[in-house]
């Protein structure tokens, strides 16, 4: 299955609400990068509110997709990171330094606007 | 699989980007109604941009979910309806009269604000 990517103004919104297996994660990475390219989006909010836990592979893909998006010129904000997800990310060395985070989608969009000075 | 429902301010956003089978459609109907109840959302945008065609069952579920949402007090705007989808809906007698429509998610949100006078 594919994770839907919504375009709103100049931003892409993603809410991950299924347990991601490896293929879904890789597909998501591809889809997001091609959507950034296609739409010229300046920012991305990835909402993880519904994600209870992640494994090492998903953590790595998530870290990578943030860096890749930044390389392509789109700022990423992660929202709704739950305690076990935060623990997994740090324990696995996916530090996501300089990656802005926020409580939920709304706060994430606000943060994005601030970061981009829009 | 479940179709993700995003909450933004007082609205719920849904972008249908997979081919819906009957179970997905029924699950979506249940999920949307329970999210309207849980969040007290005043409006819903369902974006069908990525939907190429629908069958009679999905058309009926879509018509039903709009009426059910309205009954629960949430205004629904449909966006991105493609020609074959419009044809199927009308041919099957799912008229969706009085249902506001718009080109895309952004226009849909604008329309929702107008309809709700917000």
């Amino acid at each position: 299955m594919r994770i839907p990517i919504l375009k709103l103004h100049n931003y892409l919104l993603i809410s991950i609400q299924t347990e991601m297996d490896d293929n879904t994660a890789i597909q998501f990475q591809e889809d997001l990068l091609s959507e950034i390219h296609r739409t010229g989006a300046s920012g991305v909010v990835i909402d993880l509110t519904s994600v209870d836990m992640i494994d090492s592979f998903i953590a790595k893909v998530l870290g990578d997709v943030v860096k890749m998006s930044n390389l392509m010129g789109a700022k990423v904000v992660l929202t709704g990171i739950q305690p076990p997800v935060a623990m997994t990310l740090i324990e696995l060395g996916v530090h996501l330094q300089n990656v802005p985070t926020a409580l939920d989608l709304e706060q994430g969009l606000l943060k994005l606007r601030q970061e981009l000075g829009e």
Side-chain angles (χ1 to χ4, degrees), chain A:
Chain A
M1 68 145 287
R2 298 167 94 114
I3 294 171
I5 298 170
L6 283 69
K7 182 178 169 292
L8 190 65
H9 307 293
N10 210 18
Y11 308 133
L12 299 177
L13 312 183
I14 301 103
S15 174
I16 296 176
Q17 300 185 351
T18 43
E19 206 168 316
M20 278 206 283
D21 57 31
D22 294 1
N23 287 337
T24 309
I26 291 290
Q27 181 75 59
F28 167 62
Q29 182 175 295
E30 280 176 23
D31 288 349
L32 180 57
L33 298 182
S34 78
E35 276 297 285
I36 290 171
H37 182 70
R38 194 180 66 81
T39 61
S42 61
V44 178
V45 183
I46 304 178
D47 183 46
L48 301 170
T49 306
S50 310
V51 177
D52 296 328
M53 48 193 295
I54 54 173
D55 64 22
S56 60
F57 184 78
I58 307 294
K60 186 181 173 307
V61 172
L62 202 62
D64 287 351
V65 85
V66 171
K67 287 180 212 145
M68 291 169 185
S69 303
N70 287 339
L71 266 182
M72 290 181 68
K75 189 93 195 162
V76 181
V77 174
L78 294 176
T79 62
I81 297 182
Q82 294 194 36
V85 175
M87 288 165 72
T88 305
L89 286 169
I90 297 302
E91 276 165 11
L92 293 169
V94 182
H95 282 285
L96 299 173
Q97 276 155 340
N98 311 319
V99 177
T101 52
L103 189 68
D104 57 20
L105 206 56
E106 286 143 57
Q107 300 295 325
L109 278 171
L110 270 178
K111 195 108 180 191
L112 209 46
R113 285 203 193 100
Q114 287 168 4
E115 293 276 335
L116 294 167
E118 285 170 6

